[in-house]
């Protein structure tokens, strides 16, 4: 299986695990907080990630941290569109828009984005139709509950089965809305309504999601679970744990990895690729 995604003219080959670099355009992610500075800093960061070897860049204007407040659509547009325009001009990389709002999807694709990354799985009003009309690939992610409340004692009978069923349903809904299966990527949504144990079970059984017949994206970078396992309080001190987790995800079939630390992840994947290339199954004599 070596699918390719046509991201608004920029082709993303999924013949091997690819690295999605995170470009947050939220004032809290840059010290100054001023709009212009935030824009400049976000663009500079995106270019740095491109230089580090990212295969695509994920631009997001609304923090989806547990308990985060909703951002108005005008504010989300003000943050993301200028960054997407600049990055689309200054790099040849596919750019994904991290949003759940149809208006932001439309404006982002018009500005040069070629992939919709929706943590809400296109469940907002009008999102499915907007994504279908835009004709770009989509990432459908699992979330239990809402960002505000999802981490209040999340519970599952069988987390893998329930996430698997949700993703199968979202694939079906997307296909019914006119989104071809070859334009769909799924994602178990690490940290979105999951305890550490749930996240570990999902990672250990990540191959299960390959049964859905579409590429799998994994995003564990610097998340709380990594912090809990390593005892690293500060997000920027979770690089090593994040690289380990994403290597495991790659070994268990993930073809897209959403990361902050591109250079470190690219190096780890190079080592893994070299060994994986060795272990080609011997042809029957
Ligand atoms: C937009 N987005 C996010 S934001 C949450 C985050 O990074 N939290 C976080 C980051 C750093 C430290 C602590 C928490 N996570 C995913 C994901 O896992 N998959 C897909 N497809 N998109 C995603």
């Amino acid at each position: 299986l070596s699918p390719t995604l046509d991201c608004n003219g920029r082709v993303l080959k999924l013949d091997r695990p690819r690295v999605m670099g995170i470009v947050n355009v939220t004032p809290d992610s840059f010290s100054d907080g001023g709009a212009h500075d935030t824009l400049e800093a976000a663009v500079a960061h995106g270019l740095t990630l491109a230089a580090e070897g990212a295969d695509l860049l994920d631009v997001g204007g609304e923090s989806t941290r547990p308990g985060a407040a909703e951002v108005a659509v005008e504010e989300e547009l003000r943050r993301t569109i200028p960054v997407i325009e600049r990055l689309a001009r200054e790099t040849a990389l596919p750019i994904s828009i991290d949003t759940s709002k149809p208006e932001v999807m439309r404006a982002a694709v018009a500005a040069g984005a070629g992939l919709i990354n929706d943590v809400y799985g296109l469940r907002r009003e009008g999102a499915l139709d907007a994504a279908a009309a835009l004709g770009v690939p989509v990432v459908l992610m699992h979330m239990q509950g809402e960002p505000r409340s999802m981490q209040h004692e999340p519970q599952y009978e069988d987390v893998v089965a329930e996430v698997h069923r949700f993703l199968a349903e979202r694939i079906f809904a997307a296909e019914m809305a006119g989104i071809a299966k070859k334009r769909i990527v799924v994602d178990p949504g690490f940290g979105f309504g999951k305890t550490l144990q749930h996240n570990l079970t999902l990672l250990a059984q990540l191959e299960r999601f390959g049964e859905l017949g579409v590429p799998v994206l994994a995003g564990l970078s610097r998340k709380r679970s990594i912090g809990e396992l390593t005892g690293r309080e500060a997000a920027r001190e979770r690089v090593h744990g994040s690289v380990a987790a994403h290597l495991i995800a790659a070994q268990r079939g993930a073809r897209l990895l959403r990361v902050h630390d591109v250079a470190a992840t690219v190096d780890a994947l190079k080592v893994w690729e070299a060994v994986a290339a060795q272990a080609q199954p011997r042809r029957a004599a």
Side-chain angles (χ1 to χ4, degrees):
L1 175 81
S2 73
T4 61
L5 297 176
D6 178 350
C7 303
N8 207 348
R10 299 183 181 190
V11 173
L12 182 63
K13 285 176 61 183
L14 297 181
D15 52 331
R16 58 181 170 81
R18 299 288 177 167
V19 176
M20 172 192 260
I22 298 170
V23 180
N24 283 322
V25 196
T26 45
D28 59 18
S29 45
F30 298 103
S31 54
D32 43 49
H36 176 73
D37 300 345
T38 300
L39 165 64
E40 289 305 320
V43 171
H45 188 64
L47 296 176
T48 299
L49 298 185
E52 289 186 11
D55 296 295
L56 73 158
L57 298 173
D58 190 36
V59 176
E62 175 181 22
S63 168
T64 43
R65 305 258 167 108
E70 284 258 321
V71 163
V73 62
E74 298 77 15
E75 177 59 21
E76 196 174 332
L77 288 167
R78 217 184 350 269
R79 291 177 184 175
T80 54
I81 302 312
V83 173
I84 291 170
E85 284 169 346
R86 287 273 302 278
L87 287 175
R89 265 202 313 273
E90 298 177 33
T91 74
L93 296 182
I95 295 165
S96 63
I97 175 68
D98 154 17
T99 189
S100 299
K101 299 186 180 74
E103 309 91 319
V104 179
M105 294 173 191
R106 280 190 284 273
V109 171
L115 177 76
I116 292 168
N117 177 30
D118 183 6
V119 298
Y120 211 63
L122 297 176
R123 287 179 290 156
R124 297 276 185 232
E125 179 73 31
L128 269 179
D129 292 338
L134 290 167
V136 298
V138 300
V139 177
L140 304 176
M141 195 195 83
H142 173 269
M143 177 192 307
Q144 186 187 68
E146 303 284 333
R148 216 177 45 273
S149 60
M150 65 188 176
Q151 287 309 108
H152 297 157
E153 294 171 25
Q155 282 165 4
Y156 299 82
E157 275 295 299
D158 173 345
V159 62
V160 173
E162 290 173 48
V163 172
H164 192 283
R165 182 181 333 109
F166 173 93
L167 293 174
E169 285 167 3
R170 295 315 298 159
I171 291 170
F172 181 74
E175 289 188 277
M176 288 301 108
I179 299 172
K181 191 160 187 178
K182 68 179 186 333
R183 282 185 14 216
I184 297 173
V185 174
V186 291
D187 180 338
F190 291 104
F192 286 87
K194 284 95 176 177
T195 63
L196 169 61
Q197 186 50 53
H198 294 140
N199 290 324
L200 292 175
T201 302
L202 286 167
L203 182 54
Q205 297 185 41
L206 197 66
E207 280 117 337
R208 288 285 313 282
F209 299 101
E211 296 161 12
L212 292 164
V214 297
V216 173
L217 187 155
L220 286 134
S221 186
R222 300 186 176 185
K223 289 186 175 176
R224 223 172 101 81
S225 289
I226 303 297
E228 286 176 29
L229 291 171
T230 58
R232 302 292 187 177
E233 248 328 281
R236 70 184 182 290
E237 289 172 1
R238 298 173 184 168
V239 179
H240 304 103
S242 301
V243 169
H246 287 125
L247 200 58
I248 293 166
Q251 288 180 313
R252 296 177 194 221
R255 285 285 170 80
L256 278 168
L257 305 168
R258 181 177 176 277
V259 309
H260 298 84
D261 308 290
V262 170
T265 308
V266 165
D267 281 2
L269 289 174
K270 282 177 179 166
V271 175
W272 178 74
E273 290 283 319
V275 174
Q278 293 299 314
Q280 288 308 325
R282 292 176 60 76
R283 248 176 247 306

